[in-house]
Amino acid sequence: MDSSAIRDKTVLVTGGAGFIGSHLVEALAPHTEVRVLDDFSTGERAYLPEDVTVIEGDVRDPIALQRAARGVDVIFHHAAVVSVSQSVDAPRQSNRTNVDASLLVLEQARQEDARVVAASSAAVYGHPVELPVSETAPTEPTSPYGVQKLALDQYTRLYAELYDLPTVALRYFNVYGPRQRGPYSGVISTFLEQARAGEPITIDGDGEQTRDFVHVSDVVRANLRAATTGETGEAYNVGTGERISIGELAETIRDATDSSSPIVHREPRPGDIRHSGADISKADRALGFEARVGLESGIRSLVDDEPAPLASPIGDDTVADPE
Ligand code: UD2
């Protein structure tokens, strides 16, 4: 499949019951036949629409993967060990999922002649030498997780080059939105929980560090664009191009929740990246991608517990037939 539309195709979403994967599944399901491969270690069945085919299994299991991928046109590869700290504690373990299983996915895609859209990460850049960070910036990850995402990212490119497989790697910056929770979730969900509970909002270090927070609905749209672009064999940054300091974020969330939580400072996080922000001009050029949800309205919809503002991202030109 090159630049044809994704409508009426069969797609597989690995990690489809997780935070980002389940939003993608929700957007795809009304228009395409969707299969989900998930071991439900962190994902939730309740996130999945009824009409998707669920294969409960581990992405590291070649039999489960083979079953899930048979006859598919596109594989959205989101299954991963997402915790940076877990990768530091047990690098070989996360490597098995983040690298070995990703190679299995690519091999399976080769068998099926399927497109692959792979979830890479801003973690590939490590400490940025220049802001905003473009895709040509040096890649020097600061964690096993980053090294593993870089391996995935490079294999994804190489499969396009060596085997002519249409592949795209999406380098996510700080993704947030509904369903992000648990001990390894992002700072926005942590601050929101703290503010709602009236507990101290815990800033690591001076709070002057900055991040580029991108709403999960924008990440879904980037995936849909990547599923049809002719510009394959490439990696694209997925962010907003805007940065906010963690201190300002804490205040924004406290205000949005009308919370009286104190804002407190803890020790800085060891190895924390000081600033991170995406140059999204390549994604704009090649995918027609640009973030639509501003941070304030994204936080507002989380506070109001509104459903994700993705209503139907597939209703736009993303999946329209290309004539
Ligand atoms: C993000 C990604 C990670 C990896 C990394 C690459 C998330 C959840 N994680 O890690 O997968 O791609 O980028 O660089 O998107 N903070 C506080 N208080 C808290 C929690 C966090 O101050 O209670 C700070 C933290 O020290 C950091 C910032 O908030 O400076 C963002 O932390 P995070 O864990 O949400 O995401 P990050 O950027 O470390």
Side-chain angles (χ1 to χ4, degrees):
M1 200 173 99
D2 53 353
S3 60
S4 59
I6 198 169
R7 200 180 289 276
D8 299 327
K9 303 284 181 188
T10 304
V11 307
L12 167 64
V13 183
T14 72
F19 163 46
I20 300 172
S22 67
H23 285 286
L24 178 60
V25 167
E26 206 169 60
L28 289 164
H31 309 277
T32 57
E33 193 188 321
V34 181
R35 295 187 205 153
V36 167
L37 175 63
D38 205 298
D39 66 356
F40 296 97
S41 54
T42 57
E44 296 278 345
R45 255 172 215 283
Y47 295 160
L48 296 174
E50 272 181 3
D51 52 348
V52 305
T53 306
V54 178
I55 295 103
E56 181 166 356
D58 193 313
V59 68
R60 293 170 299 185
D61 172 4
I63 310 288
L65 186 59
Q66 203 171 34
R67 230 181 92 213
R70 193 164 295 138
V72 300
D73 302 296
V74 187
I75 302 177
F76 296 94
H77 178 40
H78 278 84
V81 173
V82 301
S83 160
V84 174
S85 63
Q86 254 181 39
S87 85
V88 173
D89 292 344
R92 290 178 63 217
Q93 204 179 318
S94 54
N95 197 82
R96 280 182 209 115
T97 301
N98 294 347
V99 181
D100 295 350
S102 295
L103 258 183
L104 276 181
V105 167
L106 284 162
E107 272 304 297
Q108 202 55 50
R110 229 178 121 198
Q111 298 282 320
E112 304 293 340
D113 199 16
R115 174 181 289 244
V116 177
V117 179
S120 181
S121 168
V124 302
Y125 298 117
H127 296 286
V129 291
E130 217 175 66
L131 286 164
V133 186
S134 84
E135 289 84 351
T136 53
T139 46
E140 215 166 286
T142 55
S143 65
Y145 173 82
V147 170
Q148 292 156 14
K149 285 292 176 179
L150 185 56
L152 154 93
D153 190 291
Q154 290 291 314
Y155 272 127
T156 303
R157 177 187 59 76
L158 205 56
Y159 268 62
E161 210 170 288
L162 292 179
Y163 311 119
D164 210 19
L165 202 67
T167 65
V168 174
L170 297 176
R171 296 178 177 171
Y172 300 153
F173 280 66
N174 287 65
V175 186
Y176 72 100
R179 301 179 191 160
Q180 187 177 39
R181 51 182 189 79
Y184 311 115
S185 69
V187 62
I188 290 186
S189 67
T190 303
F191 281 1
L192 212 52
E193 257 175 53
Q194 291 170 334
R196 279 180 166 143
E199 286 166 4
I201 297 176
T202 52
I203 294 181
D204 301 334
D206 63 7
E208 296 296 316
Q209 68 270 38
T210 59
R211 292 293 184 276
D212 181 338
F213 292 99
V214 58
H215 194 272
V216 67
S217 61
D218 283 322
V219 172
V220 166
R221 280 191 314 102
N223 271 270
L224 299 176
R225 294 289 169 117
T228 56
T229 183
E231 310 269 328
T232 54
E234 298 286 334
Y236 298 102
N237 285 344
V238 178
T240 64
E242 304 281 332
R243 289 185 289 130
I244 184 174
S245 75
I246 298 303
E248 204 183 327
L249 177 72
E251 280 170 23
T252 306
I253 290 179
R254 189 173 59 174
D255 292 349
T257 49
D258 281 328
S259 167
S260 51
S261 287
I263 293 176
V264 301
H265 290 259
R266 310 186 291 202
E267 283 299 299
R269 203 192 259 182
D272 195 33
I273 282 165
R274 192 68 178 156
H275 300 293
S276 171
D279 178 342
I280 53 167
S281 50
K282 184 178 174 189
D284 182 10
R285 235 178 9 253
L287 307 181
F289 169 77
E290 154 179 271
R292 289 183 184 165
V293 183
L295 185 58
E296 287 225 4
S297 67
I299 288 176
R300 169 61 44 210
S301 69
L302 275 179
V303 169
D304 296 344
D305 224 4
E306 282 169 11
L310 45 82
S312 181
I314 227 160
D316 64 18
D317 52 339
T318 314
V319 286
D321 288 320
E323 53 273 337

